[in-house]
Amino acid sequence: MFYLVEEFFSIQGEGKYAGTPSYFLRTGGCNLSCEGFGTSYCVNGLVKYGCDTYFAVDSSFSASWQKIDDANTFISHLKTEFDAIGYLPHVVITGGEPLLYARDKVFYTVFSWLIDYGIRVTFETNGVVEIDFYKFPAYKKAIFALSVKLSNSGEPISKRINTTAIKKITDNSDESFFKFTLNKEIIDSSAFNEIQNIINICPSKKIFCMPVGECRSTLEANDKAVFIFCMKHGFNYSDRLHIRIFDMTQGV
Ligand code: SF4
């Protein structure tokens, strides 16, 4: 069983495959909360802080999450969705943290079907969960966008960096790359050293840096600093096309 927060057909807005038509599956729940990203929202009259997908992280929203407990029914549903699109899109499994469900039978059955059906699947993950590639070999065929969190997430290093998990993913998967979320403050302080420490775990991977920004105005406050930072250090700049175009994240 896994929780699905939303699903929608759109264009991948960030990272290596930015611009690619993609069907998004957003799972519910995360092992981090990333209050440092500073998106504010209100639950039962209480103001809380989190990332731009707080609705998929904070269990206060779980009543609206859909329980997927029958793989065959969900696979039939996906087939219908792809038929309506008219071609097989790239599939992006995001969250929250989708790999919290990596060992779940229903989740793995759906994922394996996607791969067998000839679909390219990207996991957008914080890179903290260790995957057993021996027991769940289909994951070798996934693309992993390793969005490892830096100190600007507000999470302690012991929670946000799992060297073993990152190494297992980069060693065993067909494709993986790093994607870091930066704001001006961390660029002016520790971003380069923090990134360097993480990419040293597997130095050959491509590195994308993108601006923090749950809305267009926040994005515009950080984009130029990230752009210049990428030029200075030889990293790839990633925009957030969906925010740039729609000024919001949910369902686009
Ligand atoms: S790891 Fe990602 S989804 Fe989870 S709280 Fe942090 S930014 Fe949000």
Side-chain angles (χ1 to χ4, degrees), residues 30 32-34 37 51 53 57 95-96 126 149:
C30 190
L32 302 179
S33 55
C34 297
F37 289 141
C51 69
T53 54
V57 173
N126 58 29
K149 298 299 169 261

Side-chain angles (χ1 to χ4, degrees), residues 4-248:
L4 186 69
V5 176
E6 58 178 353
E7 57 181 318
F8 52 93
F9 179 49
S10 184
I11 297 259
Q12 171 61 286
E14 53 195 52
K16 186 174 176 187
Y17 291 97
T20 306
S22 301
Y23 195 87
F24 285 77
L25 300 171
R26 186 184 303 286
T27 60
C30 190
N31 43 4
L32 302 179
S33 55
C34 297
E35 291 181 14
F37 289 141
T39 301
S40 63
Y41 61 99
C42 200
V43 176
N44 301 327
L46 255 179
V47 177
K48 297 170 92 172
Y49 293 92
C51 69
D52 55 356
T53 54
Y54 61 85
F55 51 90
V57 173
D58 190 329
S59 57
S60 310
F61 294 88
S62 62
S64 63
W65 299 349
Q66 189 190 347
K67 198 185 220 181
I68 307 294
D69 52 12
D70 182 336
N72 289 335
T73 304
F74 192 61
I75 286 168
S76 301
H77 160 74
L78 288 177
K79 271 186 190 160
T80 307
E81 293 290 307
F82 298 157
D83 285 349
I85 291 167
Y87 60 89
L88 294 181
H90 195 121
V91 167
V92 178
I93 307 182
T94 187
E97 175 47 56
L99 297 181
L100 288 180
Y101 299 105
R103 292 171 172 271
D104 179 81
K105 197 173 165 208
V106 175
F107 186 84
Y108 188 65
T109 303
V110 171
F111 170 77
S112 302
W113 174 79
L114 287 167
I115 293 294
D116 292 344
Y117 209 54
I119 289 175
R120 301 196 76 196
V121 181
T122 295
F123 281 117
E124 292 191 330
T125 174
N126 58 29
V128 173
V129 177
E130 288 179 32
I131 296 187
D132 187 339
F133 285 93
Y134 182 73
K135 202 165 170 191
F136 303 97
Y139 290 134
K140 291 179 184 172
K141 301 208 169 99
I143 300 163
F144 290 84
L146 282 161
S147 191
V148 181
K149 298 299 169 261
L150 305 178
S151 59
N152 59 347
S153 65
E155 296 287 356
I157 194 165
S158 56
K159 263 185 94 178
R160 62 183 161 79
I161 298 182
N162 182 341
T163 305
T164 308
I166 293 171
K167 191 127 183 56
K168 275 191 180 176
I169 288 173
T170 52
D171 282 354
N172 289 287
S173 61
D174 279 359
E175 187 176 343
S176 59
F177 58 89
F178 287 109
K179 188 178 68 169
F180 298 105
T181 307
L182 308 178
N183 53 3
K184 277 203 319 217
E185 291 70 27
I186 195 168
I187 286 173
D188 290 342
S189 55
S190 55
F192 181 68
N193 287 339
E194 289 190 38
I195 290 174
Q196 205 61 48
N197 286 337
I198 294 165
I199 62 179
N200 279 345
I201 299 168
C202 43
S204 62
K205 298 296 169 184
K206 261 195 154 174
I207 298 142
F208 293 82
C209 297
M210 68 179 189
V212 166
E214 78 286 357
C215 62
R216 204 178 286 147
S217 59
T218 317
L219 188 65
E220 287 170 354
N222 293 292
D223 56 4
K224 289 176 194 64
V226 177
F227 194 99
I228 291 163
F229 177 81
C230 286
M231 287 175 68
K232 184 173 173 191
H233 297 293
F235 300 150
N236 300 284
Y237 175 83
S238 166
D239 208 34
R240 309 180 84 149
L241 297 177
H242 46 305
I243 306 285
R244 190 77 72 187
I245 294 168
F246 295 104
D247 196 17
M248 56 182 280

